[in-house]
Amino acid sequence: MPASIISIADRFRSLSIADLLEDKRIVTAFEFIDTSSQRFTAELIRICEIPAPPFKEQERGRYFAARFNELGLDDVHTDSEGNVIGFYRGEREQPLIVLSAHLDTVFPEGTDVKVRYVGSRMCAPGIADNCAGLAAMIGLIQALNAGQIKLRGTVAFVATVGEEGEGDLRGVRHLFNEGKLAKRVSAFISFDGPGVDFITHQALGSRRYRVRLEGPGGHSWGDFGVVNPVHALSRAVARLADYHAPSEPRTTYSVGRIEGGESVNVIPQSASMDVDLRSASEAELTRLEDFLLTALNRAVIDENVMRAASGKKLKAEVRLIGNRPSGETPRESYLVRTAMEASRVMGITPILNRASTDSNVPISLGIPAITIGVGGRSNDCHRLSEWFDPTGRELGYKRALLLAVGMTGIV
Ligand SMILES: [Zn+2]
């Protein structure tokens, strides 16, 4: 066996997650998890039926602040961005591990969030993404309490705002940049959605732009020769569509929305589009972004030059509406190894993968971070037909418990 393999195996053994399974307090906590399925489901339904549209997570946040207090967390508070924070204090403050789940859904205000049963499936928008993660956070606190588990370090439970879409990770950004926990966090774990198969340790970076071009408009016949924002925008789209994105590191782009103009015989006054750029590599993302901005600039100049005789020019407004950094928590990091080991002792063979989650922000700051599922099954996320089936949820909760205790240590 090559030396490197032996040393990796040795390091795994030294984590002794398997030893935790012998600890009476962990056994008690596991028994609690095994016998609390109804309690966990009731919690899940309560959370899901409090709407949390983008930028309107306050009501669900208030529920979490109340729950954190009821469950005995320390220093429960809501920060200025809307994140709800509470501490399960150990012997010391360090290591300080953040366990989090996002409060927001993708669904607008007024969406019916009543949970309906179809067989063993619970159906409601947001039930899996991310009410499953939020409910697991509550279940984990209850399990720690049930086992009277005394930690060496401290866990900060955080219900974050603004994970989805245009929320653009505003909750975690605040937490790690201006919040009271900034620069004190040793590792970050996000519970997001069901399943136990994936450990997301790589952050998929993205940049999103909203572009708007404006001109004077006019009559298609009478004013011919005036700058046309739709023509200019189309030139930019055509240039972008010809960009050769590498497949490794995977890099993608899409113009997801385009609109403009008023009528067939009218030179439009405006045209706009939303563009989504993604890459596994920060350098490739920047290259693609530069290409888009140059293509836009060229497209506007070309239209202005082409129609210079009219004496009118197009105005361009380019707004960055999403900016998620990329990066990764190394496989060899203590956090990833502990998560792998906690999975393995539960009989799970995890797959390391890449996604865009709350972990993007700590990863970009060099703080070890992963995102994991919390058991059960689901489908149709981000659709009104979203469903969650709690079968196998105990496995997710137990792994989460082992991971939390493995990261902080037990006294
Ligand atoms: Zn999510």
Side-chain angles (χ1 to χ4, degrees):
M1 192 187 280
S4 61
I5 292 178
I6 294 170
S7 72
I8 289 170
D10 281 348
R11 271 185 284 163
F12 271 121
R13 252 198 303 279
S14 72
L15 293 172
S16 70
I17 292 287
D19 295 347
L20 287 176
L21 297 177
E22 313 286 309
D23 189 297
K24 269 215 177 75
R25 295 163 293 176
I26 301 289
V27 172
T28 306
F30 274 21
E31 277 166 12
F32 172 82
I33 291 170
D34 281 330
T35 53
S36 297
S37 186
Q38 281 182 0
R39 183 198 307 254
F40 297 152
T41 293
E43 183 71 62
L44 176 65
I45 292 171
R46 272 199 301 275
I47 294 167
C48 190
E49 293 186 345
I50 306 168
F55 297 96
K56 288 182 180 146
E57 302 98 333
Q58 296 88 338
E59 197 189 339
R60 192 177 279 177
R62 277 194 292 276
Y63 174 78
F64 267 82
R67 274 319 257 137
F68 282 178
N69 273 316
E70 277 166 22
L71 295 170
L73 294 191
D74 191 31
D75 189 17
V76 175
H77 64 281
T78 302
D79 69 20
S80 59
E81 194 66 38
N83 299 308
V84 182
I85 304 168
F87 296 87
Y88 189 92
R89 295 228 185 261
E91 208 177 45
R92 318 178 196 142
E93 201 209 60
Q94 294 291 336
L96 176 62
I97 308 298
V98 170
L99 288 183
S100 81
H102 67 85
L103 287 164
D104 57 317
T105 68
V106 295
F107 302 99
E109 215 167 1
T111 303
D112 181 4
V113 289
K114 186 110 189 84
V115 178
R116 291 170 299 109
Y117 268 95
V118 179
S120 62
R121 292 178 177 178
M122 287 175 260
C123 301
I127 185 102
D129 182 12
N130 186 27
C131 295
L134 289 164
M137 209 161 49
I138 298 292
L140 188 55
I141 301 166
Q142 290 171 323
L144 286 164
N145 285 341
Q148 299 184 313
I149 293 171
K150 197 139 186 340
L151 300 175
R152 190 171 299 284
T154 291
V155 175
F157 286 92
V158 184
T160 62
V161 293
E163 192 267 353
E164 301 282 6
E166 286 186 41
D168 201 27
L169 311 182
R170 67 189 178 95
V172 270
R173 270 183 221 281
H174 178 84
L175 196 71
F176 284 101
N177 290 304
E178 302 104 59
K180 276 200 281 182
L181 294 185
K183 303 196 170 67
R184 286 162 56 199
V185 177
S186 319
F188 175 88
I189 298 161
S190 167
F191 296 155
D192 202 340
V196 288
D197 299 329
F198 295 102
I199 295 174
T200 302
H201 73 118
Q202 301 175 78
L204 174 60
S206 66
R207 302 239 216 291
R208 288 165 181 170
Y209 279 95
R210 179 158 295 160
V211 179
R212 192 179 162 80
L213 302 183
E214 276 179 35
H219 191 282
S220 59
W221 168 261
D223 294 311
F224 183 69
V226 162
V227 283
N228 185 320
V230 168
H231 293 183
L233 199 68
S234 304
R235 279 199 193 91
V237 173
R239 284 208 173 93
L240 179 66
D242 282 340
Y243 184 80
H244 287 280
S247 49
E248 194 52 52
R250 184 169 161 82
T251 302
T252 67
Y253 55 83
S254 172
V255 176
R257 191 191 63 83
I258 187 159
E259 64 179 34
E262 294 81 28
S263 181
V264 66
N265 58 348
V266 173
I267 297 171
Q269 285 186 300
S270 73
S272 73
M273 67 173 171
D274 290 351
V275 190
D276 176 79
L277 313 174
R278 300 182 187 223
S279 181
S281 140
E282 197 66 29
E284 282 299 334
L285 191 53
T286 303
R287 195 197 315 274
L288 175 58
E289 181 182 36
D290 287 347
F291 183 89
L292 169 70
L293 297 177
T294 306
L296 264 172
N297 200 24
R298 279 289 309 276
V300 170
I301 289 172
D302 285 356
E303 181 66 12
N304 286 341
V305 168
M306 182 93 180
R307 308 293 171 205
S310 74
K312 301 280 198 300
K313 284 187 169 178
L314 286 176
K315 268 199 316 201
E317 184 191 285
V318 181
R319 205 149 57 87
L320 183 67
I321 56 169
N323 181 11
R324 299 179 174 220
S326 54
E328 73 178 77
T329 301
R331 282 164 187 263
E332 309 74 36
S333 65
Y334 187 73
L335 176 61
V336 174
R337 286 188 294 122
T338 307
M340 296 288 277
E341 186 63 2
S343 305
R344 200 188 58 76
V345 301
M346 293 308 303
I348 304 161
T349 310
I351 301 161
L352 292 172
N353 80 339
R354 177 187 304 281
S356 181
T357 69
D358 266 349
S359 289
N360 281 49
V361 168
I363 287 175
S364 75
L365 297 171
I367 298 164
I370 56 170
T371 297
I372 57 172
V374 287
R377 298 181 308 128
S378 86
N379 210 340
D380 288 3
C381 281
H382 294 195
R383 296 200 193 123
L384 292 172
S385 53
E386 183 170 345
W387 59 264
F388 175 77
D389 179 339
T391 310
R393 175 173 52 191
E394 318 75 55
L395 200 59
Y397 280 29
K398 288 176 187 173
R399 176 181 66 171
L401 181 80
L402 289 179
L403 175 57
V405 175
M407 288 304 294
T408 43
I410 192 163
V411 189

